[in-house]
Amino acid sequence: MYKFAKVLAFTAVAALFASPLFHSSKALASGGAEPLKEVSWNHSGPFGTFDRAALQRGLQVYREVCSGCHGLRFIAFRNLLEIGLKEAEAKAIAAEYTMMDGPNDEGEMYERPGKLFDYMPSPFDNEKAARASNNGAFPPDLSLMAKARFGGESYIYSLLLGYEEEAPEGVTLAEGMAYNRYFPGHQIAMGPPIDDEAVEYVDGTAPTKEQIAKDVSTFLMWAAEPALEQRKRMGVKVILFLIVLTIVLYGVKRKVWADLH
Amino acid sequence: MSGHSSFQSNNAIINWIEYRLPIFGFINDSLVVYPTPKNLNYWWNMGSLAGVMLVLQIVTGIILAMHYTPHADLAFASTEHIMRDVNYGWMMRYMHANGGSMFFIVVYIHIFRGMYYGSYKAPRELLWWLGIIIFILMMATAFMGYVLPWGQMSFWGATVITNLFSAVPLVGEEIVAWLWGGFAVAQPTLNRFYSLHYLLPFVIFAVVFIHLWALHVHKSNNPLGIDIKGPQDTIPFHPYYTVKDLYGMGIFGIIFAWLLFFAPNLLGEPDNYIPANPLVTPTHIVPEWYFLPFYAILRAVPDKLFGVIAMFASLFILFALPWLDTSKVRSARFRPVYKMLFWAFFINCFVLGYIGGKPAEGIFIIVGRLSTVLYFLFFLVLPFIGWFERPRKLPESISTAVLESSGGGGSSDGAPDGAAAKAEDRG
Ligand code: HEM
């Protein structure tokens, strides 16, 4: 068992050694901003699963607030079934949007209500249009946002709650900018998108701004990594299997080598 | 792979084939009866692990290639399509991306192992050379693979690295335009990188084959660094090392699976989840972690051309190692001075890696330059060490050393410096 322990110890040391290396750019990415808010996510850890109710509330926040400026282009309406929506509900949501389709047999493009296979339409036709309506700033697509920033969903959560009414002394905000403690450089072109009661939850949850931020961040994590639950479930099984297999192999190895000495 | 096999089977069909194509004898000679030093420790597991990783990269890569589209407008979305819509596509992609990292970890350990135990010395110089060629090909492959998902880091990493060639005097700009297939990293670049990324692993496969061919002529080196003197020094590869390698693969598999299933983006850059945008430069362009030490050397030199030269030199100097090391003794276990030097070099490589991930400013520049000098200093002082160092007494043979240290069970598979792993060997 000594050698086994030694290999494990080595790996641990190597991992320790290497981990600051991998995280090295993390601190600097936030541009010297303060550390992110601590949030406990239901989906973190090896056994984590998404909080379904939070996902559905998050969808509501996205649709009622964020979707005015941000697209979610990798999410199709059919994907909403994965967060626990009934098929009829997902169809109803899809049907609220108008899609351009065609050409039909006459060669004309035509409009029709959205179907399950359609993707979430983006609020603007192109980047130019988005910038024109946002004071020159571009609201990025949110599909992968929770993986595209250091800190992921905790960053989004902190960002949404990190606004200051007034910039600290000595900082002059540019025209149309807001002060945010977590945004790199602190000047962000997105005004505070949420506040208490920004939405009225259909499930009756009290819509504090913390609650809203947490729900929409959870939802965006799901949007970025829809296979998260499947991945973790499988991971637990695979690792348990490998541990048993490795112990058996260790026994076989000892037995085979025993006759050498 | 050399000489004629003495392989004989009871099976007539096998003998019929063997007479015409001695493939069973070949397998028997190189994987079954193949004589292996009896004292190899766990650092010798890395070779077979690297082989497994190469095959895994090829298998997952071929599956990814079935769903991936090498087009500047579609590559990013097709990667997301793999992640979201292809059955177990997320697993294939995370396996491939993290598999690349694990492959490099294994190969780095493999190389350091070779340096510690002097495996590059005569008669294994060509074996060592082939290994470095594999390493360089791997770097090229991984670099081009990282461009394929066409995220911000893909694009800007490719831009920075290909731009290095513009430092070549006179024809630099022409070379870069030729590499790009245009005047910037764009569709032609992506398309050719995809083609080469698909090709190179098979070239690596071929070089691995030659690497093993060379290995099997003079057999494995061992922790004592002394030659095999006779059959009493060796054991057949199967079952001893097959089972030991399998056990090692189990441990490795657990670490890999942990990364793959619980932290698949730990080693990646968040910026690569932003689609490539030629108009927006990321604040910090960092290559994949396995390039960081070389990246640090590149940036340590203030002049672009000399930075590039230093970076390539840091890699190519490894080819000269067998001749820079003038000591006849292979293993660092018996070389007190070299051993210290080795560990200094080892730690310095981590420092370089750390610096490579930091912005080039302030203290990081100073440390980076110092580490770069230390890196090359290792190779410069190496010849002198061999002349003045007084090595410890070498054991007579592998088998006597094994008998001495085992004292009633347990081989001397010590930690690298555990030559005298006696009392502590049982736990
Ligand atoms: C030496 C073996 C190989 C290494 C080290 C390697 C490495 C890599 C790396 C680092 C990436 C980027 C992963 C990411 O960040 O998403 C990548 C992507 C890719 N590789 Fe490989 N690869 C190898 C072999 C292959 C082979 C043989 C194929 C095809 C037959 C292949 C096909 C692909 C494809 C299609 C992608 C793009 C999809 C993606 O980004 O996940 N690879 N490779």
Side-chain angles (χ1 to χ4, degrees):
Chain A
M1 224 45 200
Y2 172 65
K3 275 170 242 153
F4 180 81
K6 209 154 58 181
V7 172
L8 275 186
F10 173 78
T11 335
V13 170
L16 269 182
F17 220 118
S19 54
L21 218 158
F22 302 138
H23 291 269
S24 57
S25 28
K26 198 164 275 187
L28 76 243
S30 50
E34 54 188 277
L36 300 178
K37 288 179 189 287
E38 295 274 340
V39 207
S40 81
W41 301 105
N42 206 51
H43 55 262
S44 61
F47 301 100
T49 51
F50 284 121
D51 174 347
R52 286 292 181 288
L55 286 179
Q56 294 181 21
R57 287 194 300 270
L59 170 67
Q60 189 188 342
V61 177
Y62 169 75
R63 295 221 306 135
E64 290 178 17
V65 185
C66 323
S67 69
C69 304
H70 295 280
L72 199 63
R73 66 181 177 123
F74 288 119
I75 296 298
F77 296 108
R78 65 182 156 85
N79 295 129
L80 299 179
L81 301 178
E82 297 161 26
I83 65 170
L85 260 61
K86 306 250 168 12
E87 191 165 326
E89 291 170 321
K91 276 186 172 150
I93 289 179
E96 288 177 28
Y97 296 83
T98 309
M99 301 290 164
M100 185 61 89
D101 204 342
N104 62 13
D105 292 344
E106 280 79 51
E108 313 278 344
M109 303 303 280
Y110 59 93
E111 291 186 336
R112 59 160 176 80
K115 300 260 175 60
L116 281 185
F117 55 73
D118 285 315
Y119 282 80
M120 292 266 189
S122 294
F124 302 103
D125 287 341
N126 51 55
E127 186 176 330
K128 289 252 165 62
R131 283 189 192 277
S133 341
N134 282 285
N135 218 345
F138 178 56
D141 188 273
L142 292 182
S143 309
L144 283 159
M145 187 53 75
K147 289 202 288 187
R149 296 288 184 278
F150 280 109
E153 67 278 48
S154 297
Y155 169 73
I156 301 177
Y157 177 83
S158 307
L159 183 83
L160 292 177
L161 298 175
Y163 285 91
E164 299 289 353
E165 296 264 340
E166 282 180 39
E169 249 174 276
V171 180
T172 356
L173 289 179
E175 175 72 21
M177 295 296 229
Y179 188 87
N180 192 299
R181 293 203 302 280
Y182 300 96
F183 190 70
H186 303 304
Q187 296 208 30
I188 184 165
M190 167 171 76
I194 56 164
D195 209 337
D196 291 332
E197 331 254 302
V199 291
E200 197 175 320
Y201 279 134
V202 282
D203 69 359
T205 306
T208 60
K209 60 178 191 251
E210 285 79 14
Q211 183 69 44
I212 295 174
K214 192 167 177 188
D215 291 341
V216 77
S217 305
T218 306
F219 172 72
L220 290 178
M221 186 65 231
W222 166 79
E225 186 83 354
L228 179 140
E229 290 182 354
Q230 191 194 6
R231 163 159 70 71
K232 292 188 173 179
R233 268 200 311 273
M234 218 167 132
V236 171
K237 286 187 212 144
V238 168
I239 288 182
L240 281 180
F241 168 77
L242 282 176
I243 288 175
V244 173
L245 180 76
T246 306
I247 291 172
V248 171
L249 284 170
Y250 179 70
V252 177
K253 192 255 160 192
R254 290 208 33 138
K255 194 144 173 54
V256 167
W257 280 70
D259 68 352
L260 266 191
H261 307 290
Chain B
M1 282 184 218
S2 50
H4 221 77
S5 174
S6 55
F7 176 78
Q8 264 295 327
S9 166
N10 299 330
N11 184 312
I13 300 177
I14 289 188
N15 282 333
W16 186 92
I17 297 174
E18 181 70 11
Y19 182 65
R20 287 152 182 87
L21 175 74
I23 184 162
F24 297 105
F26 172 69
I27 293 170
N28 191 51
D29 286 354
S30 40
L31 283 174
V32 182
V33 295
Y34 177 66
T36 316
K38 27 165 79 160
N39 60 335
L40 300 187
N41 58 32
Y42 278 99
W43 303 117
W44 263 261
N45 277 46
M46 298 303 147
S48 63
L49 270 180
V52 169
M53 287 317 293
L54 177 60
V55 172
L56 191 77
Q57 288 304 96
I58 292 182
V59 171
T60 51
I62 290 176
I63 294 171
L64 289 173
M66 292 174 186
H67 305 279
Y68 169 82
T69 313
H71 189 287
D73 297 337
L74 304 170
F76 189 88
S78 76
T79 312
E80 277 309 309
H81 160 72
I82 293 171
M83 295 293 285
R84 292 160 191 269
D85 302 325
V86 175
N87 290 330
Y88 296 103
W90 56 269
M91 193 161 91
M92 290 302 128
R93 200 235 172 164
Y94 280 156
M95 241 188 209
H96 196 77
N98 288 292
S101 283
M102 293 305 279
F103 198 2
F104 272 94
I105 292 177
V106 166
V107 167
Y108 276 126
I109 298 178
H110 194 65
I111 295 173
F112 281 124
R113 187 281 318 258
M115 290 180 70
Y116 188 85
Y117 294 109
S119 302
Y120 48 81
K121 290 186 197 182
R124 296 190 182 81
E125 300 94 325
L126 287 183
L127 177 58
W128 175 253
W129 275 29
L130 289 159
I132 301 165
I133 292 172
I134 294 170
F135 178 50
I136 293 171
L137 286 171
M138 267 177 73
M139 303 224 279
T141 308
F143 164 66
M144 288 190 273
Y146 193 59
V147 176
L148 302 184
W150 210 240
Q152 272 292 66
M153 228 25 115
S154 300
F155 181 87
W156 289 99
T159 302
V160 168
I161 302 299
T162 47
N163 247 321
L164 294 179
F165 290 91
S166 69
V168 176
L170 302 176
V171 288
E173 299 296 332
E174 277 77 12
I175 294 180
V176 176
W178 177 74
L179 287 174
W180 286 341
F183 300 105
V185 172
Q187 171 56 29
T189 327
L190 173 61
N191 220 147
R192 65 187 54 187
F193 277 18
Y194 179 53
S195 169
L196 293 173
H197 184 68
Y198 208 135
L199 169 71
L200 285 188
F202 297 92
V203 177
I204 295 176
F205 203 93
V207 184
V208 167
F209 203 78
I210 311 176
H211 186 69
L212 290 179
W213 187 4
L215 171 71
H216 284 207
V217 178
H218 291 285
K219 313 284 185 278
S220 296
N221 183 29
N222 64 82
L224 299 172
I226 54 178
D227 289 331
I228 297 171
K229 302 236 164 68
Q232 72 284 359
D233 287 346
T234 66
I235 44 178
F237 191 80
H238 181 75
Y240 295 104
Y241 286 108
T242 39
V243 69
K244 193 172 174 178
D245 280 355
L246 281 173
Y247 165 56
M249 278 168 207
I251 303 265
F252 176 82
I254 294 171
I255 300 166
F256 186 14
W258 175 81
L259 193 64
L260 166 60
F261 291 108
F262 298 126
N265 292 308
L266 177 69
L267 305 180
E269 278 295 320
D271 270 25
N272 228 25
Y273 281 109
I274 304 170
N277 185 347
L279 302 176
V280 179
T281 320
T283 18
H284 299 287
I285 302 176
V286 270
E288 291 269 82
W289 69 266
Y290 34 80
F291 296 127
L292 291 179
F294 300 100
Y295 196 53
I297 292 177
L298 169 77
R299 295 190 305 174
V301 185
D303 180 82
K304 189 171 175 185
L305 177 60
F306 284 101
V308 176
I309 292 176
M311 184 181 73
F312 281 108
S314 67
L315 204 55
F316 284 94
I317 200 164
L318 291 171
F319 282 112
L321 195 56
W323 295 276
L324 289 176
D325 189 342
T326 47
S327 172
K328 289 277 168 289
V329 177
R330 292 197 191 101
S331 174
R333 279 190 188 178
F334 305 101
R335 301 188 56 193
V337 183
Y338 175 72
K339 187 197 265 182
M340 286 192 310
L341 202 67
F342 169 86
W343 286 116
F345 178 79
F346 180 79
I347 292 168
N348 189 48
C349 287
F350 279 86
V351 175
L352 280 173
Y354 176 78
I355 295 295
K358 291 289 181 188
E361 56 192 37
I363 181 84
F364 300 132
I365 299 188
I366 301 165
V367 177
R369 291 192 179 150
L370 211 67
S371 289
T372 302
V373 171
L374 285 179
Y375 181 93
F376 288 105
L377 208 59
F378 170 81
F379 295 95
L380 288 184
V381 301
L382 205 53
F384 303 100
I385 305 256
W387 292 328
F388 75 76
E389 184 182 49
R390 310 261 335 255
R392 287 168 46 197
K393 193 173 157 298
L394 291 175
E396 235 151 82
S397 73
I398 295 173
S399 56
T400 50
V402 169
L403 279 180
E404 260 167 39
S405 71
S406 65
S411 64
S412 63
D413 307 337
D417 53 347
K422 283 173 197 150
E424 27 120 42
D425 202 46
R426 310 263 77 207

